Amino acid sequence: MQEPAIIATDNTINTEPSIKIGLSACLAGQNVRYNGGHTQSKLCLNTLSKYFDFQTFCPEVAAGFGTPRPTMRLVGDPNAPGLEFSNGEGKDLNAQLATGISAILAKTDNLDGYILMKNSPSCGLSRVKVYQQNGHPHKDRTTGLFTQALAKKYPLMPIEEEGRLHDDRLLDNFLLRVYAYSNFRREVLNQPSMFKLISFHSSYKYLLLAHNQELYRYLGRLLSGSKKIPLEELTQHYFEKFMQALGKQANRNNHTNTLLHILGYLKKTVPSPARQHIVEVIYKYQQGIIPLTTPVTLLKHYLQQYGSNYINEQRYLNPYPESLNPLTRHI
Ligand code: SF4
């Protein structure tokens, strides 16, 4: 069975805690595809590897299918598809693939996210074709068999297809969810307490406000103590709703609302003309004239001089390493 390989990480750039991300091995440039080739991802290898330790896995190789091998495809019911070789030589390959999936999932508890190869009957995240007896695909698409098992074991873990990460907005959302998931696991889940939960929630207050106002308010009420819930259950429920909230993308209006809230912290310390200038910059962002990074950088400049620890520690201002901003913050 294939051992996970770790792609070199540039520790001179990455000052954050080491974050481990699962990666389809073909995206890492390993020759594991059916044709003996790979689909190397420049985004993963040249950029994201500076921030993540990639753990690479190929479910089909782990299951003992050789390389090269006949192509495989999903067949039958899109809700419970079978796996077979496309040339019709091998039927009912699900049980063999399951051995590879189990072997991989025994090694993935330390992961904070997963990046997958699209369209694969094993690794595809969505839109995977399911062929019918007439030779045509079913109108409904599905998820690859490995990805189904991965998402079942780790329902809150951020999982994305590599192709979708070339969209700045999707990459931004994936990165902030990976860091949020990692931060929660390290800061709260390790040894939960009410104090840790409230501190964590406090640091994510404005990020939650930008992404999902309804769940932002719900989570605040949840931690207010009005409902008597055992700590373990409360922690798990909070984690589920927290990740759900961040899964919804923030739009310009919600970012504008959040930026204006944060500006309120400078009311007593920054003169009115300077605050008025910041307001104008925020509204230019709202109109789509400038990127989000402009009002955020301006606010950070003033907050570093005049803001409290509380507001400067808001993760909204730094949801993930700042050096990733040129890639992702033109939202
Ligand atoms: S898509 Fe998945 S199963 Fe297919 S070659 Fe890549 S890692 Fe292996």
Side-chain angles (χ1 to χ4, degrees), residues 24-26 32-33 57-60 69 117 120 122-123:
S24 293
C26 53
V32 291
R33 292 195 74 206
F57 304 98
C58 175
E60 292 173 15
R69 59 186 173 275
M117 177 63 194
S120 157
S122 301
C123 291

PDB file of all heavy atoms in Angstrom, residues 24-26 32-33 57-60 69 117 120 122-123, ligand 1:
ATOM      1  N   SER A  24      -5.033  14.584  -3.277  1.00  0.00           N
ATOM      2  CA  SER A  24      -5.012  13.480  -4.240  1.00  0.00           C
ATOM      3  C   SER A  24      -3.593  13.374  -4.806  1.00  0.00           C
ATOM      4  O   SER A  24      -3.032  14.368  -5.295  1.00  0.00           O
ATOM      5  CB  SER A  24      -6.005  13.746  -5.377  1.00  0.00           C
ATOM      6  OG  SER A  24      -7.328  13.718  -4.902  1.00  0.00           O
ATOM      7  N   ALA A  25      -3.030  12.178  -4.756  1.00  0.00           N
ATOM      8  CA  ALA A  25      -1.599  12.019  -5.091  1.00  0.00           C
ATOM      9  C   ALA A  25      -1.267  12.452  -6.516  1.00  0.00           C
ATOM     10  O   ALA A  25      -0.174  12.954  -6.780  1.00  0.00           O
ATOM     11  CB  ALA A  25      -1.193  10.562  -4.873  1.00  0.00           C
ATOM     12  N   CYS A  26      -2.222  12.288  -7.441  1.00  0.00           N
ATOM     13  CA  CYS A  26      -1.950  12.701  -8.827  1.00  0.00           C
ATOM     14  C   CYS A  26      -1.762  14.206  -8.919  1.00  0.00           C
ATOM     15  O   CYS A  26      -0.996  14.695  -9.758  1.00  0.00           O
ATOM     16  CB  CYS A  26      -3.056  12.226  -9.760  1.00  0.00           C
ATOM     17  SG  CYS A  26      -4.714  12.695  -9.231  1.00  0.00           S
ATOM     18  N   VAL A  32       0.328   8.177 -10.566  1.00  0.00           N
ATOM     19  CA  VAL A  32      -0.603   7.169 -10.036  1.00  0.00           C
ATOM     20  C   VAL A  32      -1.884   7.068 -10.851  1.00  0.00           C
ATOM     21  O   VAL A  32      -2.760   6.263 -10.527  1.00  0.00           O
ATOM     22  CB  VAL A  32      -0.969   7.476  -8.559  1.00  0.00           C
ATOM     23  CG1 VAL A  32       0.218   7.269  -7.644  1.00  0.00           C
ATOM     24  CG2 VAL A  32      -1.511   8.905  -8.415  1.00  0.00           C
ATOM     25  N   ARG A  33      -2.020   7.855 -11.898  1.00  0.00           N
ATOM     26  CA  ARG A  33      -3.265   7.819 -12.678  1.00  0.00           C
ATOM     27  C   ARG A  33      -3.355   6.511 -13.477  1.00  0.00           C
ATOM     28  O   ARG A  33      -2.352   5.799 -13.651  1.00  0.00           O
ATOM     29  CB  ARG A  33      -3.350   9.015 -13.618  1.00  0.00           C
ATOM     30  CG  ARG A  33      -3.514  10.331 -12.886  1.00  0.00           C
ATOM     31  CD  ARG A  33      -3.944  11.417 -13.849  1.00  0.00           C
ATOM     32  NE  ARG A  33      -5.330  11.277 -14.240  1.00  0.00           N
ATOM     33  CZ  ARG A  33      -5.829  11.731 -15.385  1.00  0.00           C
ATOM     34  NH1 ARG A  33      -5.035  12.334 -16.258  1.00  0.00           N
ATOM     35  NH2 ARG A  33      -7.093  11.561 -15.681  1.00  0.00           N
ATOM     36  N   PHE A  57      -2.399  10.923  -1.014  1.00  0.00           N
ATOM     37  CA  PHE A  57      -2.971   9.572  -1.034  1.00  0.00           C
ATOM     38  C   PHE A  57      -3.621   9.293  -2.389  1.00  0.00           C
ATOM     39  O   PHE A  57      -4.253  10.182  -2.971  1.00  0.00           O
ATOM     40  CB  PHE A  57      -4.062   9.422   0.035  1.00  0.00           C
ATOM     41  CG  PHE A  57      -3.633   9.752   1.436  1.00  0.00           C
ATOM     42  CD1 PHE A  57      -3.897  11.000   1.975  1.00  0.00           C
ATOM     43  CD2 PHE A  57      -2.970   8.823   2.220  1.00  0.00           C
ATOM     44  CE1 PHE A  57      -3.515  11.319   3.267  1.00  0.00           C
ATOM     45  CE2 PHE A  57      -2.585   9.125   3.524  1.00  0.00           C
ATOM     46  CZ  PHE A  57      -2.856  10.379   4.051  1.00  0.00           C
ATOM     47  N   CYS A  58      -3.493   8.053  -2.850  1.00  0.00           N
ATOM     48  CA  CYS A  58      -4.250   7.601  -4.019  1.00  0.00           C
ATOM     49  C   CYS A  58      -5.070   6.386  -3.599  1.00  0.00           C
ATOM     50  O   CYS A  58      -4.519   5.297  -3.371  1.00  0.00           O
ATOM     51  CB  CYS A  58      -3.327   7.227  -5.177  1.00  0.00           C
ATOM     52  SG  CYS A  58      -4.265   6.521  -6.570  1.00  0.00           S
ATOM     53  N   PRO A  59      -6.377   6.511  -3.477  1.00  0.00           N
ATOM     54  CA  PRO A  59      -7.211   5.393  -3.021  1.00  0.00           C
ATOM     55  C   PRO A  59      -7.112   4.175  -3.943  1.00  0.00           C
ATOM     56  O   PRO A  59      -7.143   3.032  -3.459  1.00  0.00           O
ATOM     57  CB  PRO A  59      -8.626   5.961  -3.035  1.00  0.00           C
ATOM     58  CG  PRO A  59      -8.466   7.443  -3.027  1.00  0.00           C
ATOM     59  CD  PRO A  59      -7.161   7.744  -3.688  1.00  0.00           C
ATOM     60  N   GLU A  60      -6.998   4.412  -5.250  1.00  0.00           N
ATOM     61  CA  GLU A  60      -6.972   3.274  -6.176  1.00  0.00           C
ATOM     62  C   GLU A  60      -5.663   2.504  -6.062  1.00  0.00           C
ATOM     63  O   GLU A  60      -5.655   1.262  -6.062  1.00  0.00           O
ATOM     64  CB  GLU A  60      -7.235   3.772  -7.608  1.00  0.00           C
ATOM     65  CG  GLU A  60      -8.669   4.275  -7.763  1.00  0.00           C
ATOM     66  CD  GLU A  60      -8.969   4.932  -9.101  1.00  0.00           C
ATOM     67  OE1 GLU A  60      -8.179   4.777 -10.052  1.00  0.00           O
ATOM     68  OE2 GLU A  60     -10.015   5.614  -9.189  1.00  0.00           O
ATOM     69  N   ARG A  69      -3.531   1.054 -15.309  1.00  0.00           N
ATOM     70  CA  ARG A  69      -4.697   0.160 -15.107  1.00  0.00           C
ATOM     71  C   ARG A  69      -5.810   0.627 -16.022  1.00  0.00           C
ATOM     72  O   ARG A  69      -5.797   1.794 -16.487  1.00  0.00           O
ATOM     73  CB  ARG A  69      -5.147   0.224 -13.634  1.00  0.00           C
ATOM     74  CG  ARG A  69      -5.532   1.635 -13.182  1.00  0.00           C
ATOM     75  CD  ARG A  69      -5.824   1.717 -11.697  1.00  0.00           C
ATOM     76  NE  ARG A  69      -6.025   3.104 -11.244  1.00  0.00           N
ATOM     77  CZ  ARG A  69      -5.053   3.928 -10.903  1.00  0.00           C
ATOM     78  NH1 ARG A  69      -3.789   3.532 -10.945  1.00  0.00           N
ATOM     79  NH2 ARG A  69      -5.318   5.161 -10.511  1.00  0.00           N
ATOM     80  N   MET A 117      -8.938  15.595  -6.664  1.00  0.00           N
ATOM     81  CA  MET A 117      -8.955  15.647  -8.123  1.00  0.00           C
ATOM     82  C   MET A 117     -10.400  15.501  -8.615  1.00  0.00           C
ATOM     83  O   MET A 117     -11.129  14.614  -8.168  1.00  0.00           O
ATOM     84  CB  MET A 117      -8.086  14.518  -8.675  1.00  0.00           C
ATOM     85  CG  MET A 117      -8.063  14.417 -10.172  1.00  0.00           C
ATOM     86  SD  MET A 117      -7.336  15.897 -10.897  1.00  0.00           S
ATOM     87  CE  MET A 117      -7.855  15.666 -12.604  1.00  0.00           C
ATOM     88  N   SER A 120     -13.071  12.165 -10.811  1.00  0.00           N
ATOM     89  CA  SER A 120     -12.644  10.782 -10.574  1.00  0.00           C
ATOM     90  C   SER A 120     -13.747   9.977  -9.879  1.00  0.00           C
ATOM     91  O   SER A 120     -14.398  10.488  -8.963  1.00  0.00           O
ATOM     92  CB  SER A 120     -11.392  10.793  -9.694  1.00  0.00           C
ATOM     93  OG  SER A 120     -11.252   9.567  -9.021  1.00  0.00           O
ATOM     94  N   SER A 122     -13.277   7.857  -7.796  1.00  0.00           N
ATOM     95  CA  SER A 122     -12.827   7.711  -6.407  1.00  0.00           C
ATOM     96  C   SER A 122     -12.773   9.060  -5.701  1.00  0.00           C
ATOM     97  O   SER A 122     -13.300   9.228  -4.614  1.00  0.00           O
ATOM     98  CB  SER A 122     -11.429   7.074  -6.362  1.00  0.00           C
ATOM     99  OG  SER A 122     -11.449   5.822  -6.984  1.00  0.00           O
ATOM    100  N   CYS A 123     -12.096  10.041  -6.321  1.00  0.00           N
ATOM    101  CA  CYS A 123     -11.778  11.305  -5.636  1.00  0.00           C
ATOM    102  C   CYS A 123     -12.708  12.465  -5.977  1.00  0.00           C
ATOM    103  O   CYS A 123     -12.612  13.517  -5.342  1.00  0.00           O
ATOM    104  CB  CYS A 123     -10.350  11.731  -5.956  1.00  0.00           C
ATOM    105  SG  CYS A 123      -9.090  10.654  -5.233  1.00  0.00           S
TER     106      CYS A 123
HETATM  107  S1  SF4 B   1      -7.937  10.958  -8.824  1.00  0.00           S
HETATM  108 FE1  SF4 B   1      -7.614   9.880  -6.894  1.00  0.00          FE
HETATM  109  S2  SF4 B   1      -7.766   7.702  -7.418  1.00  0.00           S
HETATM  110 FE2  SF4 B   1      -7.448   8.828  -9.338  1.00  0.00          FE
HETATM  111  S3  SF4 B   1      -5.236   8.830  -9.656  1.00  0.00           S
HETATM  112 FE3  SF4 B   1      -5.731  10.715  -8.566  1.00  0.00          FE
HETATM  113  S4  SF4 B   1      -5.448  10.180  -6.418  1.00  0.00           S
HETATM  114 FE4  SF4 B   1      -5.594   8.253  -7.530  1.00  0.00          FE
END
